[in-house]
Amino acid sequence: MKKILTVIGARPQFIKAAPVSLALQEVGLEEVLVHTGQHYDANMSAIFFEQLGLKPPNYHLGIGSGSHGYQTGEALIQLEPILETVAPDVVLVYGDTNATLAGALAAAKLHIPVAHVEAGLRSFNRRMPEEINRVMTDHLAQWLFAPTQTAVNNLANEGIRQGVYLSGDVMMDAIALYLEVARAQFPTLLESLGVKAQSYILLTMHRAETTARPEQALAVLQSLDTLNMDIVFPVHPRLRPLLKSTEFRHIHCIDPLSYFEMLLMEESAYCVVTDSGGVQKEAAFFGVPCVTLRPETEWVETVEAGWNQLVDLFPDRMLAAIQSLQTPETSMAQYYGKGTARHLIAQSLKQALSPSEPFAHMVN
Ligand code: UD1
Ligand code: UDP
């Protein structure tokens, strides 16, 4: 049986890997799961494994927090002997975290082909650690699953044309698989958080570029707090030090939410304010307007179609955006797929590993 070794380490990767793992099982590919341990709090890691039914990792590297050099280097060191022992046919990585780059680099150095899900995303901002990780990973990968046509074009502009698949976005698969389950499991979530549908703002912040500008980040929070509306803020642990000595009137700081709870909070929000990549798309999926606290986005379709406004960390621009929210009719599916990317990925990998079968979905 052909064997895939998956490397994941951070919250959004657990969410992206869950649908693909199911599809790999369906096509009869064995999967060995490695968790680098980059995210380790129960509400940043274990909850996603339990809720999404991900199998427990075969290897847990226990890396935890630290510098980019430490997180990437330690994962690289620990992955090498695991790859030699497991001898997978493919190493599968997701997105743009330090776990993504470490997995791709460890594999490439051992001549093991790399498959990259969420290939071709670009912010064109090399100050983002994620931009370095995804550019490097794309150039190491043999199979590149691009969620959008823009991502396919970005790869072509860097000379990457072989092994590229326009797969759609696996985060749409996650919504397709889990939204109904989430609704059934948490029927009174809004009440328990003390808010009413369409009458609160959902806020998330976690980017390194945000905490690198603490005064501006705090100014954004203080100006949100002036709005006469409840603001629900599930706080990523990176933000905790910034919030330590600040009190808010309308912003309710809560622990990070599980994925199911997060989907429900997005679905019923008046609007979303975020610096997250995944949350921008989920908001658009639900037809909830989004205000993004960054100067640029990789998910350009959300802005072009009018679902999303980019305001950076400027309070005035943010308030103006919240006062001029748009809810376009355009469907997400034309940009991000219909929630079936996992099948294309699993079938394409199976075909690629059995060369007698045709490469049905490849762009080139
Ligand atoms: C990482 C990814 C980012 C992704 C995000 C998803 C990189 C370079 N960044 O950023 O692309 O969008 O995950 O959430 O890989 N911490 C805890 N407990 C945890 C995890 C983190 O307390 O379980 C705290 C630590 O103080 C740590 C800080 O959060 O130093 C940042 O965590 P880290 O994993 O380094 O980066 P993220 O901001 O989570
Ligand atoms: N998410 C979650 N709980 C939270 C915040 C986010 O489950 O408290 C989910 C969110 O719905 C999305 C994913 O985590 O599916 C996005 O991850 P994150 O914002 O950490 O990283 P990014 O997408 O920016 O890399």
Side-chain angles (χ1 to χ4, degrees), residues 193-266:
L193 290 173
V195 290
K196 292 203 169 70
Q198 275 76 52
S199 68
Y200 63 89
I201 294 175
L202 180 66
L203 168 69
T204 82
M205 281 169 126
H206 77 277
R207 296 250 149 245
E209 304 86 287
T210 302
T211 48
R213 295 188 282 165
E215 283 168 17
Q216 275 178 267
L218 269 180
V220 160
L221 292 172
Q222 275 151 359
S223 83
L224 271 175
D225 203 37
T226 62
L227 295 173
N228 196 18
M229 187 174 257
D230 285 318
I231 295 161
V232 180
F233 183 14
V235 178
H236 183 291
R238 184 190 276 281
L239 258 288
R240 275 186 218 136
L242 186 74
L243 303 177
K244 244 193 335 227
S245 51
T246 316
E247 296 219 337
F248 299 108
R249 281 187 318 146
H250 298 296
I251 301 182
H252 309 287
C253 297
I254 58 173
D255 286 337
L257 291 171
S258 70
Y259 178 60
F260 289 179
E261 293 168 302
M262 189 65 186
L263 285 183
L264 299 178
M265 289 309 288
E266 289 168 344

Side-chain angles (χ1 to χ4, degrees), residues 27-318:
V27 300
L29 289 170
E30 183 185 344
E31 186 179 31
V32 175
L33 196 59
V34 180
H35 185 337
T36 65
Q38 178 170 345
H39 285 176
Y40 46 87
D41 289 348
N43 54 24
M44 294 294 290
S45 177
I47 183 77
F48 297 95
F49 280 75
E50 286 158 26
Q51 205 168 60
L52 303 174
L54 268 169
K55 66 171 185 168
N58 301 81
Y59 298 87
H60 195 297
L61 310 186
I63 287 172
S65 303
S67 69
H68 293 286
Y70 164 75
Q71 283 180 333
T72 315
E74 184 62 24
L76 198 53
I77 291 167
Q78 290 198 42
L79 280 169
E80 256 184 11
I82 294 172
L83 293 180
E84 281 169 338
T85 306
V86 175
D89 298 284
V90 179
V91 166
L92 176 60
V93 293
Y94 292 85
D96 52 23
T97 74
N98 290 338
T100 315
L101 176 59
L105 195 51
K109 293 266 183 162
L110 293 172
H111 313 298
I112 301 168
V114 174
H116 186 202
V117 171
E118 216 177 74
L121 270 285
R122 294 292 181 269
S123 64
F124 303 101
N125 175 0
R126 289 277 172 118
R127 293 190 60 81
M128 287 180 78
E130 292 84 1
E131 184 77 353
I132 310 291
N133 290 341
R134 53 194 168 220
V135 170
M136 299 300 292
T137 302
D138 284 338
H139 284 264
L140 294 168
Q142 181 157 340
W143 297 294
L144 301 101
F145 297 103
T148 60
Q149 184 59 47
T150 309
V152 172
N153 298 346
N154 289 338
L155 291 170
N157 288 341
E158 291 174 21
I160 303 175
R161 294 187 178 82
Q162 296 297 313
V164 176
Y165 301 77
L166 178 56
S167 61
D169 188 338
V170 292
M171 291 190 80
M172 298 301 116
D173 292 50
I175 297 176
L177 283 168
Y178 304 116
L179 180 59
E180 285 307 325
V181 191
R183 286 178 180 148
Q185 211 164 313
F186 293 96
T188 57
L189 178 67
L190 268 63
E191 283 156 83
S192 68
L193 290 173
V195 290
K196 292 203 169 70
Q198 275 76 52
S199 68
Y200 63 89
I201 294 175
L202 180 66
L203 168 69
T204 82
M205 281 169 126
H206 77 277
R207 296 250 149 245
E209 304 86 287
T210 302
T211 48
R213 295 188 282 165
E215 283 168 17
Q216 275 178 267
L218 269 180
V220 160
L221 292 172
Q222 275 151 359
S223 83
L224 271 175
D225 203 37
T226 62
L227 295 173
N228 196 18
M229 187 174 257
D230 285 318
I231 295 161
V232 180
F233 183 14
V235 178
H236 183 291
R238 184 190 276 281
L239 258 288
R240 275 186 218 136
L242 186 74
L243 303 177
K244 244 193 335 227
S245 51
T246 316
E247 296 219 337
F248 299 108
R249 281 187 318 146
H250 298 296
I251 301 182
H252 309 287
C253 297
I254 58 173
D255 286 337
L257 291 171
S258 70
Y259 178 60
F260 289 179
E261 293 168 302
M262 189 65 186
L263 285 183
L264 299 178
M265 289 309 288
E266 289 168 344
E267 182 181 28
S268 294
Y270 171 71
C271 78
V272 164
V273 177
T274 191
D275 64 4
S276 157
V279 174
Q280 289 172 53
K281 279 179 294 169
E282 287 166 349
F285 174 86
F286 288 120
V288 171
C290 183
V291 176
T292 295
L293 303 169
R294 290 181 47 198
E296 77 279 301
T297 180
E298 303 76 25
W299 304 103
V300 289
E301 302 79 10
T302 60
V303 177
E304 284 162 12
W307 292 303
N308 190 5
Q309 300 180 72
L310 302 175
V311 300
D312 202 349
L313 285 177
F314 293 116
D316 293 350
R317 283 174 60 185
M318 179 189 65

